Each structure stands twice: as C-alpha cells, then as structure tokens.
Amino acid sequence: MLQVIARKVGRMPRRQVLLLGSLLVALVSVITFFKGTEAIVGVLFLAPIVLVTWGAGRRAGVVIAVMCALAGLFAEILAGKVYSHPLIATWNGLVDLGTYLVVVLSLDGLRAALRREQLLARRDPLTGIGNRQGFLDGLDFEFTRARRYGHPLTLAYLDLDNFKAVNDSRGHKEGDRVLREVASVLGAAARSVDRVARIGGDEFALLMPETGPVEAARVVRRLTFGIEQRMKRNHWPVTVSGGCATFLRVPEDADDLIEFADALMYQAKTAGKNRLACAVYGNPDDPDGVGGQARAVPSTLPAPQLDDHHHRISIACTSPSSPLLTMTSRRPLASWSHGTRRARRAYSDRPRE
C-alpha cells in the first residue's frame, strides 16, 4: 500500500504536490485551532511534510516544514494557549521546526538512496550504459506507446565478432576494455531519445522509438561504423554483426520484437559476420511509418514483398567489404515469431566468437 502511494506521489506534477501540501497544512492548522489546548495534534503536520518532501524534493520540504512550525504555533496562540514566558512559545516552535527538518532530511536521504538503487539496478556496472532489466523496462514502455499511438518502433541487436579471441589471447581485462569502448561509441552516437544497453556478454541493444526504416538504417550504420573505427584504432580484431527490425505495426507481444531482432542478428552472423541484417514490417502505403507523405526505402534495401496479411517483410544483409546480400520473405509476422524462437535457441546454444 505504501509503495503504491509513494509511486503515485512521485509521479504527480510538482505544482500539484505543493498545492496539496499547502492545503494539508491549512487543514491541520484549523484542526489545531479547534481542538483546544489539551490535545496534541502536531504530529498531523508530518503528513504534508512527507508528501511534499517525497514528491517535490528537499527544498520544498524545508519550506513546508517552516510553514508547519509557524502555523502550529500561531494556531495554538489563537486557540487561547497561555505561556508563562514568551520565550517558551518560541522554544516550542523551534523544537517543532527541528523535528520537522529532521524528518525532511531523513526522508530526502531515503528518497535519494532509493533512486540510486533503482538506477544501479538498471545500469551495467562495467560499461555504465543500461543493463538487460533496464532495457526491458524501457522496451515495455515504448512498446505500449507504439501500440497506442501507431508510431513505428525499431529494435537493433548488435553482437561483437571475434570477441572471444580477444579474451583468450589478451585476457579478460582487455576484453573489458573492448566492451567499454563499444558502450562509449553507442552512448555518444545514439540519439537522446534512443535506449542503449548491454544485454549480456558481448551483446548490445538499441531501441529507437518513432523511427522508420530510413532513419533507423542511418543510425545503426553510423554506430557500427564508429565501433569499427574504434576497434581498428586499438588494433582489436573485432567487428560487429547486427539485426535491425523496424515495426511500422508492432506485434501483439513485446517478446516478438526481441526474438525477431535476435534472429536477424543470427542471420547476419551466419552470412559471414561483419554484417547488418535489416527487416521492415508494416503498412506498405507508409514506408516510413510516420504518416503523411511516404518516402521510398533506400536503394540498399530490396523492394518490399507483401504477404497475405498485407505486411511487408524486406530484409537486407550488408557488409562494408562485401556486395549486398538480400533476402525476402512472404511469411506473416506470426510465422516469423515461431521461426525466431527456433533461431534464438540455436543461436544461444552455439559458442560465441
């Protein structure tokens, strides 16, 4: 129950939190005024303090704490409470303020620690980019948005070729350097709206929301070229094989996105490594999946093929050092889903290179 409330408060707009906190301060002040001088209700001021500190931060919590201390003091004086000396009232107010500030600082520290833990739980400790769990959370979010608004969604899987050879010949420390360099290129070259993650071993993933096949191919090629140049600069015999799947119409299950991108990467690996396999699904009347005027798919991609469900599947597998290899299929998305599961199992069972 408390976790649900904390999440809801954390998602509320800052102004709404401050307004609600101010109203609670006024309500508790009225209660303090009418309860008389015998009952102690100062603890009720903790409600707006906790609300504002958790939802709006430490500074706002301090402001509300001061408001609570002053409101409680003046409400008691107006209610007719008599002090033997004016300094006693001041002392009581300062004690209340100190108590409230301790609550604010403690709660803010807890809030910051929780956010750090949540961030670390979604970060890869070696490379500093997202990990598998964080990536899957982001994928679920973008998948829901794509289904709701009809936006295209592109998922790319990248796998390092010959990475095992670097580990075996130069040691795991050098292998870690390779992974960090790849993550550095991905993090620097990816767009601000993209989600980049290391999903395990020498595999990386790139999620590009609201991105059609033209822009997706451009982004992924730029990333793979940057990785290739970084590998050559450090004299590492490592290349990149990848699968890039653009969904102009997302499937029913987000797992199908992962499985298909993984299967495309496997096709690129089996085609000779150092390749990028791209596939496009969606409405042939809108090649870019962005609505409005359609643009043609680049000449490096084959002409779209239509299946029985009017979804096109066009696949291109290219390498900087080899001619264009194209593959097309008329199979619907459901058939690809079953095929990708088999391909994914075959790919996961084989040794990585």
Side-chain angles (χ1 to χ4, degrees):
M1 183 64 179
L2 292 178
Q3 292 180 350
V4 175
I5 296 176
R7 281 197 298 267
K8 289 185 177 181
V9 171
R11 295 172 183 173
M12 290 173 60
R14 181 183 175 87
R15 290 184 178 181
Q16 187 175 346
V17 172
L18 293 176
L19 177 60
L20 182 57
S22 300
L23 292 176
L24 287 176
V25 172
L27 177 61
V28 177
S29 299
V30 172
I31 295 175
T32 303
F33 175 76
F34 285 104
K35 57 83 179 176
T37 60
E38 296 181 356
I40 299 177
V41 296
V43 69
L44 297 179
F45 282 111
L46 293 178
I49 292 174
V50 171
L51 172 69
V52 173
T53 303
W54 191 265
R58 180 175 58 185
R59 291 185 178 180
V62 170
V63 172
I64 290 293
V66 174
M67 290 176 56
C68 289
L70 294 176
L73 178 61
F74 286 123
E76 288 186 346
I77 292 176
L78 293 176
K81 188 172 184 177
V82 179
Y83 298 94
S84 59
H85 194 281
L87 290 180
I88 296 180
T90 304
W91 171 257
N92 289 345
L94 291 176
V95 170
D96 290 340
L97 177 60
T99 303
Y100 298 153
L101 290 178
V102 169
V103 173
V104 170
L105 296 178
S106 300
L107 192 61
D108 182 67
L110 176 62
R111 176 172 169 263
L114 180 60
R115 290 191 173 183
R116 283 195 299 270
E117 290 297 326
Q118 292 176 341
L119 181 61
L120 292 176
R122 289 167 172 77
R123 290 285 178 182
D124 178 50
L126 177 62
T127 62
I129 61 176
N131 61 12
R132 184 178 184 85
Q133 184 58 51
F135 183 79
L136 292 178
D137 291 343
L139 177 63
D140 289 339
F141 176 77
E142 296 296 345
F143 175 80
T144 303
R145 288 183 65 247
R147 284 189 60 84
R148 178 179 300 174
Y149 300 110
H151 294 157
L153 186 63
T154 297
L155 176 61
Y157 262 31
L158 304 177
D159 183 85
L160 303 184
D161 306 321
N162 307 316
F163 176 73
K164 186 175 182 297
V166 175
N167 267 339
D168 294 342
S169 61
R170 305 188 186 185
H172 290 281
K173 186 176 181 180
E174 193 74 1
D176 290 345
R177 282 192 58 203
V178 173
L179 297 176
R180 283 193 291 265
E181 289 292 334
V182 172
S184 175
V185 173
L186 293 177
R191 305 167 304 173
S192 59
V193 296
D194 299 335
R195 296 175 184 266
V196 180
R198 177 189 174 211
I199 56 176
D202 57 350
E203 291 184 10
F204 295 83
L206 173 65
L207 182 64
M208 294 174 279
E210 301 184 30
T211 305
V214 176
E215 181 64 19
R218 184 181 299 115
V219 171
V220 176
R221 287 181 184 278
R222 184 176 71 245
L223 293 175
T224 54
F225 178 77
I227 294 173
E228 180 183 2
Q229 296 303 308
R230 191 71 63 90
M231 298 299 105
K232 290 181 178 179
R233 186 186 310 166
N234 290 277
H235 306 288
W236 291 323
V238 176
T239 56
V240 179
S241 294
C244 181
T246 298
F247 294 84
L248 307 184
R249 178 194 64 84
V250 295
E252 295 295 328
D253 193 344
D255 290 340
D256 289 335
L257 277 72
I258 299 175
E259 292 173 352
F260 185 68
D262 197 20
L264 284 175
M265 182 178 66
Y266 172 70
Q267 291 181 0
K269 298 281 282 189
T270 56
K273 299 182 181 180
N274 194 23
R275 283 165 169 76
L276 176 64
C278 298
V280 182
Y281 289 106
N283 186 349
D285 296 330
D286 188 5
D288 282 319
V290 294
Q293 186 176 4
R295 292 181 295 171
V297 179
S299 58
T300 54
L301 294 177
Q305 301 291 324
L306 300 182
D307 63 14
D308 295 336
H309 298 277
H310 304 290
H311 302 137
R312 68 176 184 176
I313 304 173
S314 57
I315 303 176
C317 189
T318 63
S319 169
S321 58
S322 65
L324 178 67
L325 170 65
T326 62
M327 298 167 283
T328 59
S329 172
R330 290 181 179 270
R331 285 182 290 175
L333 184 61
S335 297
W336 270 109
S337 297
H338 295 296
T340 54
R341 287 187 177 91
R342 290 194 296 269
R344 191 179 190 186
R345 285 196 296 269
Y347 181 62
S348 61
D349 292 340
R350 67 186 181 86
R352 299 299 173 93
E353 298 180 358

